[in-house]
Amino acid sequence: MESAWWQDCIVYQIYPRSFQDSDHDGVGDLQGIIRRLDYIKSLGVDAIWLNPIFVSPMMDLGYDIADYRNIDPLFGTLGDAELLIEKAHELSLKVIFDLVLNHTSNEHPWFLESRESRDSDKADYYIWSDTVPNNWKAAFGGKGWTFDKQRGQYFFHSFLPQQPDLNWRNPAVADSLLDEVRFWLDKGVDGFRLDSINAIIKDDALRNNPRNYRRKLRSYDKQHHIFDRNRPESHSKLKMLRRLIDTYPDRMLIGEILVESPGEPEVAASYLGSTGDELNLSFDFSLITTRFSAAKWQRSAKRWYEAVGRHRTPAWVLNNHDVSRSISRFKNNEQKARLAAFFLFTQRGAIFMYYGEELGLRNSFVCRKDMHDPLGRRYWPFSKGRDPQRGPMLWNVGANHGFTEGSPWLPFAKNANSCTVENQELEKDSMLTLYRSLIRLRSKEHVLRMGVCDFLELKNTNLMAYTRTLEEACLLMLLNFSPKAQSASRAELGLQSSAGEEIFSTASPSARPRFSSDAVLLDGYEAVVFRLA
Ligand code: GLC
Ligand code: MG
């Protein structure tokens, strides 16, 4: 059977504020992205995903939508969005928009009408209560219930009070949202990243969440979110969304599934539907919180593969706009970042990468007064918020790194000069060159995209090995998670008789021989691909 594009795609996530400014206001915009499409195409990726660009008061930088059908002037116009879709399609790049269907902005006309009176047309579009009915908390701090003077009732919000949660139990709400989705489907958008999609249905009896006794910073994390997330009824809503997008050819849904740390891959997989009839893809963020070690990453990846199963597609991600950049998590160790990239691009399924990741772009340092993220402002200095991983893209070493001719909305990363596209394009050993060659390898070797992944158990715990198999094709990946040279026995790797042809390495050719009579040798943090006969 032929595979659908999303089953083996590489998606490049763009934080629109930080990619390319075109009107000198220091904030990236759609015309800027259009200007950089050739660069994106040159990476070899298949699709772009844009964080929300819709009309918004920006209390949560666009995750508070006031009009689903229009573009915020900060980013451009509806015409710019149409042009972006058209230009991307000309380059055979798919376009994924970020839709927030769990909540709207409190400036959305639905909310304005809903708060007006208890018998307005939109009275039941949100979750209202006469009293504070339970202990639910808001992810961005404080109680989940806020009193609205106008209506004289409390409303529920999973995030900021300016982000009231929609009442998906009201069929009219679901209908209205489907109309908004249809609007963009008709404009040719190929896919949607659905924000916090497992939170859309709340417990019908609004029961209290049980206490979580882990020591956590946010009061939100001191609860098990069993009544304000993952309600069984949410699955039927996702099926409904899937039915809608399947009336159009080649569209897809990827969901952000909020889970308890360090990760619940089984929950993320459950939203794919038992027969693959809910989300096309869902995010499992476990790897992001898993300590960098061969054994731990292997356990995490195996668990995700098992949860998803062979008949459905796993999505893989190391970076996004909500978490510290991986190179910063690795304490700026580039070798680790290179190994992580190798791991990422040699997995089965859909791969998500975050702008700048291909340069080894680090977190920016953002001081309190320059902070935009509501989470950072609330929890500083205990948390630095999410601004650091949203710093501007680095195009060149010139003024403002080619990002803007104005003053950038967030500071550049510290190591900016060594991390520009312009520099790294010229360097044989740069991160950018590695990303490009990994992506090229993946596009050449069909087995890397679709082949089944089987992990080997090796005696040397610094190493990880897995095969990828599809029909006659079989590749063996060997990764060294330690800074020192390591070896594995050829017998263990099944490289016994014929040596196995080496087709790729993350290291520059080493003086050391690869094979001894009974072992395979890898440099520190090196990763290699062998073709097995
Ligand atoms: C998701 C987004 C995050 C946003 C939140 C509220 O987790 O990824 O950036 O703040 O939802 O919409
Ligand atoms: Mg701009």
Side-chain angles (χ1 to χ4, degrees), residues 21-25 27-29 74:
D21 181 22
S22 75
D23 58 357
H24 321 311
D25 64 351
V27 179
D29 42 54
L74 193 63

Side-chain angles (χ1 to χ4, degrees), residues 111 113-117 122-131 133 145-149 151-156 164-165 167 206:
F111 189 73
E113 205 180 322
S114 194
R115 81 191 324 182
E116 225 163 64
S117 84
K122 301 283 186 293
D124 295 329
Y125 262 51
Y126 296 83
I127 303 165
W128 295 98
S129 170
D130 287 331
T131 54
W145 298 90
T146 292
F147 188 71
D148 182 70
K149 277 209 207 102
R151 172 142 160 171
Q153 277 186 311
Y154 293 86
F155 64 91
F156 178 67
D165 279 40
N167 174 20
L206 303 177

Side-chain angles (χ1 to χ4, degrees), residues 60 63 103 140 159 163 193 195-196 256 321-322 386 390:
D60 186 19
Y63 281 95
H103 49 271
F140 292 159
F159 298 93
Q163 295 169 293
R193 179 263 188 193
D195 189 73
S196 317
E256 180 202 32
H321 62 291
D322 287 330
R386 299 169 297 178
R390 299 172 178 178

Side-chain angles (χ1 to χ4, degrees), residues 286-301 330 336 339-340 343 455 460-466 479-483 525:
S286 308
L287 269 181
I288 292 174
T289 49
T290 301
R291 202 165 62 79
F292 192 76
S293 94
K296 293 208 158 68
W297 274 42
Q298 174 162 329
R299 200 173 314 135
S300 172
F330 299 147
K336 288 187 179 177
L339 190 65
F343 178 91
F455 286 92
N460 184 340
T461 53
N462 291 303
L463 297 176
M464 183 198 287
Y466 44 94
L479 297 78
N480 179 2
F481 276 71
S482 90
Y525 293 125

Side-chain angles (χ1 to χ4, degrees), residues 243-506:
R243 278 197 302 273
L244 168 64
I245 69 138
D246 280 352
T247 60
Y248 293 72
D250 289 336
R251 310 300 166 102
M252 76 96 158
L253 299 173
I254 168 135
E256 180 202 32
I257 310 298
L258 303 173
V259 296
E260 295 182 20
S261 68
E264 297 176 311
E266 296 76 18
V267 175
S270 75
Y271 287 96
L272 301 173
S274 50
T275 58
D277 55 352
E278 296 184 29
L279 297 169
N280 303 72
L281 300 167
S282 64
F283 283 121
D284 165 49
F285 301 117
S286 308
L287 269 181
I288 292 174
T289 49
T290 301
R291 202 165 62 79
F292 192 76
S293 94
K296 293 208 158 68
W297 274 42
Q298 174 162 329
R299 200 173 314 135
S300 172
K302 263 177 102 164
R303 188 171 158 195
W304 182 220
Y305 275 125
E306 272 156 29
V308 169
R310 287 192 184 181
H311 63 296
R312 302 183 301 189
T313 305
W316 301 90
V317 58
L318 297 175
N319 284 287
N320 66 35
H321 62 291
D322 287 330
V323 295
S324 168
R325 285 186 176 268
S326 55
I327 186 128
S328 298
R329 298 201 300 270
F330 299 147
K331 307 243 166 5
N332 301 332
N333 184 328
E334 276 194 29
Q335 299 283 79
K336 288 187 179 177
R338 293 172 71 88
L339 190 65
F342 178 95
F343 178 91
L344 183 70
F345 288 108
T346 53
Q347 301 307 318
R348 173 174 80 84
I351 310 297
F352 284 74
M353 58 180 289
Y354 186 49
Y355 80 100
E357 180 181 325
E358 73 278 22
L359 306 171
L361 179 64
R362 300 179 189 173
N363 286 349
S364 291
F365 178 81
V366 183
C367 55
R368 176 71 182 88
K369 71 170 186 9
D370 295 332
M371 233 171 238
H372 294 260
D373 179 23
L375 197 59
R377 282 148 76 149
R378 168 90 187 208
Y379 289 104
W380 191 87
F382 305 105
S383 154
K384 305 270 183 304
R386 299 169 297 178
D387 293 306
Q389 57 263 28
R390 299 172 178 178
M393 180 69 171
L394 303 170
W395 298 102
N396 57 47
V397 290
N400 288 323
H401 300 287
F403 165 66
T404 181
E405 285 174 34
S407 135
W409 78 286
L410 274 182
F412 294 101
K414 272 238 183 70
N415 64 332
N417 280 344
S418 64
C419 256
T420 69
V421 171
E422 193 179 64
N423 282 0
Q424 293 202 11
E425 297 228 283
L426 304 172
E427 288 166 25
K428 204 164 94 276
D429 294 330
S430 67
M431 193 70 81
L432 179 57
T433 305
L434 175 71
Y435 267 72
R436 283 194 169 131
S437 32
L438 282 166
I439 293 171
R440 208 175 312 121
L441 177 72
R442 189 178 170 86
S443 83
K444 222 167 55 195
E445 303 288 343
H446 186 52
V447 58
L448 275 185
R449 283 173 279 134
M450 299 300 286
V452 169
C453 182
D454 290 301
F455 286 92
L456 278 59
E457 299 300 330
L458 302 182
K459 282 203 201 74
N460 184 340
T461 53
N462 291 303
L463 297 176
M464 183 198 287
Y466 44 94
T467 56
R468 301 288 312 283
T469 318
L470 188 71
E471 290 155 13
E472 300 297 283
C474 184
L475 297 181
L476 168 70
M477 263 57 63
L478 188 57
L479 297 78
N480 179 2
F481 276 71
S482 90
K484 298 210 184 87
Q486 301 286 340
S487 67
S489 93
R490 290 169 71 151
E492 269 184 305
L493 295 169
L495 279 174
Q496 221 159 358
S497 48
S498 63
E501 181 201 354
E502 177 174 334
I503 61 167
F504 188 89
S505 163
T506 54

Side-chain angles (χ1 to χ4, degrees), residues 83-152:
L83 188 66
L84 172 65
I85 297 167
E86 186 189 319
K87 294 284 175 202
H89 285 171
E90 276 172 22
L91 294 171
S92 304
L93 288 169
K94 306 273 186 197
V95 178
I96 300 169
F97 276 6
D98 202 324
L99 279 183
V100 189
L101 305 181
N102 176 69
H103 49 271
T104 66
S105 158
N106 62 344
E107 294 184 16
H108 194 290
W110 297 341
F111 189 73
L112 298 182
E113 205 180 322
S114 194
R115 81 191 324 182
E116 225 163 64
S117 84
R118 297 180 195 197
D119 42 39
S120 80
D121 210 29
K122 301 283 186 293
D124 295 329
Y125 262 51
Y126 296 83
I127 303 165
W128 295 98
S129 170
D130 287 331
T131 54
V132 173
N134 57 30
N135 66 354
W136 296 355
K137 300 280 190 261
F140 292 159
K143 287 202 169 69
W145 298 90
T146 292
F147 188 71
D148 182 70
K149 277 209 207 102
Q150 205 177 334
R151 172 142 160 171

